[in-house]
């Protein structure tokens, strides 16, 4: 080597290295754009979700409350196929299957082609999500140890409602750094995966083998067609409605008849959709795969129609004035839910993240501090959609404990939202500074300004 040649520059340690890495990094540019698009849609969905829940609560506690419950309990469907269900049950079993279909698409997308396919990027949010499930469940179980009839609801405070949480962020006008927004969404996605597993294994009863085995036939055909003709379904939107939808509906009906909660069918159908673009369409680098195309097509239906309607039929509970509210909040089920969501979620998420970063000698991204992670952990205590579903599965639709559990869910979500707002609002000035620094970095690296606008 020539003596005038400068020595080679030592390689810069990668942020993706497990030990000594930076956690909650911004992720890839493409991932930031995709996450930003999802969060914008969830903001609208969250606003509709809150509006639907408020309308249901007002109606259920008004002089016209009888009409609300008559509407919720009105049955429609074909009884010989065991599908004569109330409108409330159709919302919980049918419309929420659309929501869980999107969850299945998102889960597969994240772990096959998203940033979570890298262990270094997935270990922290996955571990934090697990902590955010285990600690609330333990708190609920401790509170309800002396009440065996309510102990069955241990899974109610384990879920995070991303639409509601994002709606709160939109309302307070938070400039949450992109890395933390990605962390919040990833946390909710993994949280949903755990919730699905809990529903499938702990809240399914009287399993019927025949319809469950029969469900594999339309599911297999659905998966084969989606994989084989992914380019066709990607180009022709109507084809999915005319070909895949009937197969999906048949799969859903058979899973429903088997005794496994029908929303699990939505997840399985989401898992069956290919993520990677086919070689005939140019390969992975040529554009989004069918899962991302379907996610773009169907998320408005889920966020704008399915989830708000479910919230409307599930959140309507007759409180019974201050006396009834006091009775509901004194129920160990409601108390366990409130403590689980408001205390258990932030303790589990923040505690797990802190322990993991210390154990791996990792550090936070320079754009935020631990108080910001605490604010996001508080925000994760907003448990609504899946929590309402698990409450109904735990205690039975319309039962006294179910009503009390719903009061607990609503109260806990409101408290968590207010606490998160108090923390995150105080950090808005720091967030703006961090955004300006990100903008400077992106300009220096030649990344388009749209990164900041859309991420």
């Amino acid at each position: 080597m020539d003596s005038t040649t400068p020595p080679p520059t030592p390689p810069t340690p990668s942020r993706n290295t497990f030990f000594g890495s930076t956690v909650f990094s911004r992720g890839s540019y493409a991932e930031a754009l995709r996450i930003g698009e999802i969060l914008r849609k969830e903001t609208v969905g969250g606003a509709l979700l809150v509006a639907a829940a408020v309308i249901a609560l007002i109606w259920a506690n008004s002089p016209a409350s009888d009409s609300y419950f008559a509407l919720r309990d009105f049955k429609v469907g074909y009884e010989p196929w065991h599908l004569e269900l109330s409108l409330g049950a159709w919302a919980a079993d049918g419309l929420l299957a659309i929501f869980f279909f999107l969850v299945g698409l998102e889960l597969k997308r994240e772990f096959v082609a998203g940033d979570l396919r890298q262990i270094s990027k997935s270990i922290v949010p996955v571990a934090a999500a697990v902590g955010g499930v285990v600690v609330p469940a333990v708190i609920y179980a401790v509170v309800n140890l002396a009440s065996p009839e309510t102990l069955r609801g241990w899974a109610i405070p384990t879920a995070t409602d991303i639409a509601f949480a994002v709606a709160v962020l939109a309302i307070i006008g938070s400039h949450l750094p992109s890395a933390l927004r990605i962390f919040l969404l990833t946390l909710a996605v993994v949280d949903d995966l755990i919730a699905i597993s809990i529903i499938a294994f702990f809240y399914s009863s009287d399993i019927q083998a025949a319809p469950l085995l029969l469900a594999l036939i339309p599911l297999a055909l659905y998966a084969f067609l989606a994989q084989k003709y992914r380019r066709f379904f990607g180009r022709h939107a109507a084809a999915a409605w005319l070909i895949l939808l009937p197969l999906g509906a048949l799969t859903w009906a058979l899973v429903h008849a088997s005794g496994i909660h029908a929303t699990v069918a939505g997840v399985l159908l989401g898992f069956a959709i290919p993520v990677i673009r086919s070689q005939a369409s140019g390969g992975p680098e040529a554009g989004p795969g069918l899962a991302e195309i379907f996610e773009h097509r169907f998320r408005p239906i889920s966020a704008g129609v399915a989830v708000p309607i479910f919230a409307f039929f599930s959140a309507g509970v007759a409180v019974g004035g201050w006396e009834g509210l006091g009775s509901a909040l004194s129920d160990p089920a409601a108390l366990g839910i409130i403590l689980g969501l408001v205390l258990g979620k932030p303790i589990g998420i923040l505690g797990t993240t802190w322990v993991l970063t210390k154990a791996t000698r990792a550090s936070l991204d320079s754009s935020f501090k631990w108080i910001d992670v605490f604010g996001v952990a508080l925000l994760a205590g907003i448990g609504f959609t899946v929590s309402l579903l698990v409450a109904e599965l735990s205690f039975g639709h319309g039962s006294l404990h179910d009503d009390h559990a719903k009061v607990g869910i609503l109260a806990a979500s409101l408290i968590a939202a207010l606490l998160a707002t108090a923390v995150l609002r105080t950090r808005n000035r720091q967030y703006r500074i961090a955004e300006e620094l990100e903008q400077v970095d992106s300009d220096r690296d030649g990344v388009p300004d749209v990164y900041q606008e859309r991420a």
Side-chain angles (χ1 to χ4, degrees), residues 248-261:
L250 181 58
T251 302
W252 173 89
L254 290 170
V255 170
H256 181 273
S258 73
I260 296 178
H261 198 268

Side-chain angles (χ1 to χ4, degrees), residues 374-385:
F374 176 60
V376 170
L378 285 171
L379 203 60
I382 300 176
F384 196 79
T385 304

Side-chain angles (χ1 to χ4, degrees), residues 168-182:
V168 171
L169 284 179
I171 291 170
I172 66 177
S174 174
H175 292 259
L176 196 66
S178 60
L180 274 181
R181 292 203 300 267
I182 293 173

Side-chain angles (χ1 to χ4, degrees), residues 39 94 105 114 154 209 282 296 313 316 324 339 342 356 370 385 387 410 437:
L39 291 179
L105 290 177
W154 60 270
H296 177 75
F313 283 117
L339 293 177
V342 177
L356 194 60
W370 280 106
T385 304
S387 292
L410 294 170
L437 291 176

Side-chain angles (χ1 to χ4, degrees), residues 159 285 365:
E285 304 302 324
D365 189 272

Side-chain angles (χ1 to χ4, degrees), residues 306-324:
V307 175
I309 291 177
F310 167 76
F312 173 77
F313 283 117
S314 294
V317 53
V319 178
W322 291 108
E323 183 179 350

Side-chain angles (χ1 to χ4, degrees), residues 101-190:
F101 172 74
L102 268 294
V103 170
L105 290 177
E106 180 64 23
L107 281 169
K108 188 174 181 180
R109 170 68 177 76
E110 283 294 332
F111 287 101
V112 172
D115 284 348
L116 290 187
R117 71 186 186 278
Q118 304 175 37
I119 295 179
S120 59
K121 290 187 177 181
S122 64
I123 186 67
V124 174
V126 169
V130 172
V133 168
V134 172
V135 175
V138 170
I139 290 177
Y140 181 95
V142 170
V143 173
N144 288 269
L145 276 178
S147 178
E149 60 182 356
T150 59
L151 189 58
R152 179 173 168 78
W154 60 270
I156 298 172
T158 61
T160 294
D161 194 308
I162 185 61
F164 205 150
V166 172
V168 171
L169 284 179
I171 291 170
I172 66 177
S174 174
H175 292 259
L176 196 66
S178 60
L180 274 181
R181 292 203 300 267
I182 293 173
F183 172 69
L184 176 61
L185 182 60
T186 304
L187 193 72
V189 167
V190 178

Side-chain angles (χ1 to χ4, degrees), residues 284-309:
E285 304 302 324
L290 188 58
E292 193 169 344
I293 292 172
F294 275 13
E295 184 183 323
H296 177 75
R297 288 179 186 171
F298 302 126
R299 187 172 292 279
I301 299 175
S302 172
V305 179
V307 175
I309 291 177

